[in-house]
Amino acid sequence: YDQLQYVGDTRIQALVSLFNSGDETLVRNAINQLDNSRLPEGITLSRYPSANPQQIPTFSLYWIGMVHDYWRYRLNETFVKEKLPGVRQVLNFFQQYQQPDGSLKDAPYWEFTDWAAGEGWNRGMAPIGKNGNSAALDLQLCIAYQLAAELEEATGMKEFSQLYRTSADQLKQTIKAKYWSPTKQLYADTPEQDIYSQHTNTLAVLAGLTEGNDARLLMEKVLSDNTIT
């Protein structure tokens, strides 16, 4: 049914391929092809090769994750260094839509997160508040900054690493202030704090906003609360 190489699926498939075969040929090929799909704006296409172009900027953030996965499990610094200019271009694209507090506002194209059917979800896009902010998008960008900082620290330029760490730290503080509900003890999907999802709270743990026993308690709440998406 669907034979296109979508970044969101391909990142998972690449890890499965590495685990099952130990052969990195297909993984490098996928990273290269998606890198070659890059638009002048800086983002990759959501799928490639494809006759019909499609933009899902969040998938470009996942492409950064693919490069980081490859660096973590293959330690091929030469290949990773070749991809760093593309990593920087993806983040440059998102920086255009960050507000002074770091939060994204009115990010363009199809900002897909998941095929969820809860309140506020629209064609796979996570809820967006009245002011154009979305916790799920802010968290995905925060994680991408963290991964890019590690890549730059290990194989690139320390200046970029520090810049990305600073951006990630700012986002973490903004997300806590904007989306955390002391009443619900959950991260909300929007600044209005009227809708919640497993997605946002799981991303918050992955981004390191909540750690240790607090993270365990948060995940237990997320899994047991039937009122959230």
Side-chain angles (χ1 to χ4, degrees), residues 74-126:
R74 279 299 175 264
L75 300 177
N76 185 337
E77 289 195 4
T78 300
F79 180 80
V80 173
K81 283 182 179 180
E82 294 173 356
K83 302 304 153 192
L84 288 180
V87 170
R88 296 164 188 161
Q89 289 181 58
V90 170
L91 294 175
N92 283 342
F93 169 85
F94 279 91
Q95 286 166 1
Q96 299 175 70
Y97 302 98
Q98 286 187 267
Q99 303 308 295
D101 64 358
S103 186
L104 288 166
K105 180 178 181 180
D106 298 329
Y109 297 120
W110 187 20
E111 297 289 354
F112 179 88
T113 294
D114 185 29
W115 289 117
E119 182 182 354
W121 290 76
N122 178 26
R123 295 189 311 115
M125 294 189 293

Side-chain angles (χ1 to χ4, degrees), residues 110-152:
W110 187 20
E111 297 289 354
F112 179 88
T113 294
D114 185 29
W115 289 117
E119 182 182 354
W121 290 76
N122 178 26
R123 295 189 311 115
M125 294 189 293
I128 298 174
K130 295 178 181 178
N131 59 357
N133 296 147
S134 166
L137 293 186
D138 284 348
L139 283 160
Q140 289 173 82
L141 178 58
C142 182
I143 291 170
Y145 273 131
Q146 292 170 341
L147 299 182
E150 290 187 13
L151 289 174
E152 294 284 359

Side-chain angles (χ1 to χ4, degrees), residues 139 143 146-147 199-210 215 219:
L139 283 160
I143 291 170
Q146 292 170 341
L147 299 182
H199 305 73
T200 290
N201 287 277
T202 302
L203 287 165
V205 172
L206 292 173
L209 272 74
T210 303
M219 286 296 93

Side-chain angles (χ1 to χ4, degrees), residues 48 60 72 76 118 120 139 145 153 156 158 166 169 172 175-176 194 199 203 208 226 228:
Y48 196 78
S60 293
R72 172 181 285 172
N76 185 337
L139 283 160
Y145 273 131
E153 180 72 26
K158 298 296 190 293
T166 299
D169 289 343
K172 289 172 72 172
I175 291 165
K176 289 178 181 178
D194 53 355
H199 305 73
L203 287 165
N226 294 324
I228 67 176

